[in-house]
């Protein structure tokens, strides 16, 4: 049997509750009456396409979910979802490749909404050497699985808490059931170090480092995350570029030497 399509008002109310915004505050920010918003949420009033898009914008609903809101309201999706291999995505692919190549000899990778690997530069090979191929398709599994990077991460408990915290916030932001399942899976991976409940900095800490042992040498990295600034396509909106930088001169020197050695 076909699953029941949830009413758009119910979905909007769920997103408003998730964002912890009152009807009054949303009505004011979206420039509509509280009465109208209440009628939309209860199904007494059918919102226009423009109204659905406006509420989705003010609720910071991801583009993928805005399309679902439109479908629930009886309208066609507003945002395309174009595969990266399509010709119209040439500019995006070039931009991603330029960022990755320009970051060498330091590691950088691009992931999609599921943390599946989309692209990476050659320096990522330092992290994933010897990891089973089936793990490398998803960067969280590759990082935290006992057969992945985990045995080489010197501060595994700290880095695990950092990654799980990011994923937990993403689940709260997107309400994606697949990501919730991934979070449960990762929580089940073993870890022989204490995992902090809250990321509280120690004396002098300004970021959570990744401490990774490679060829008998301890390396320390910090990372930055970048997204496309004005995406109007679901695929582009969900791309995340993570770039790792050496946190000390010894790590930088090791990366340069490794890159020269491997090619």
């Amino acid at each position: 049997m076909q699953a029941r399509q949830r009413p758009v008002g119910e979905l909007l109310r769920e997103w408003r509750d998730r964002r912890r915004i009152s009807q009054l505050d949303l009505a004011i920010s979206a420039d509509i009456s509280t009465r109208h918003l209440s009628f939309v949420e209860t199904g007494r009033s059918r919102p226009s396409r423009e109204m659905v898009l406006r509420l989705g914008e003010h609720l910071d609903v991801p583009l993928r979910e805005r399309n679902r809101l439109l479908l629930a309201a009886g309208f066609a999706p507003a945002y395309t979802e174009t595969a990266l291999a399509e010709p119209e995505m040439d500019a995006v692919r070039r931009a991603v490749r330029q960022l990755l190549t320009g970051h060498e000899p330091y590691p950088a990778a691009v992931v999609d909404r599921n943390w599946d690997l989309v692209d990476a530069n050659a320096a990522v090979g330092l992290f994933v050497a010897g990891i089973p191929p089936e793990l490398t398709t998803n960067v969280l599994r590759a990082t935290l699985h006992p057969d992945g990077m985990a045995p080489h991460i010197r501060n595994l408990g700290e880095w695990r808490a950092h990654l799980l915290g990011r994923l937990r916030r993403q689940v709260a932001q997107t309400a994606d059931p697949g990501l919730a399942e991934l979070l449960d899976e990762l929580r089940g991976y073993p870890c022989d170090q204490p995992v902090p409940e809250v990321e509280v900095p120690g004396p002098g800490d300004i970021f959570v480092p990744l401490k990774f042992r490679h060829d008998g040498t301890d390396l320390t990295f910090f990372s930055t995350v970048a997204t496309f600034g004005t995406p109007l396509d679901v695929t582009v909106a969900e791309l995340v570029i993570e770039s790792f930088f050496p946190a000390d001169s010894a790590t930088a020197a090791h990366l340069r030497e490794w890159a020269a050695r491997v090619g």
Side-chain angles (χ1 to χ4, degrees), residues 104-126:
E104 293 177 344
Y106 309 143
V110 183
V111 300
D112 63 15
R113 63 194 293 262
N114 299 311
W115 293 75
D116 289 335
L117 185 65
V118 173
D119 199 357
N121 64 11
V124 168
L126 179 143

Side-chain angles (χ1 to χ4, degrees), residues 211-242:
K211 299 178 181 180
F212 187 78
R213 190 163 184 82
H214 179 258
D215 285 348
T217 301
D218 287 340
L219 309 177
T220 305
F221 299 88
F222 67 90
S223 68
T224 63
V225 173
T227 57
F228 283 86
T230 55
L232 295 176
D233 181 276
V234 174
T235 301
V236 178
E238 293 173 346
L239 291 178
V240 174
I241 304 165
E242 183 146 18

Side-chain angles (χ1 to χ4, degrees), residues 15 18-19 62 65 113 169-177 179:
W15 279 105
R18 185 174 291 115
R19 297 293 185 256
E65 301 305 321
R113 63 194 293 262
R169 290 188 290 272
Q170 186 181 355
V171 170
Q173 173 73 18
T174 64
D176 188 300
L179 291 176

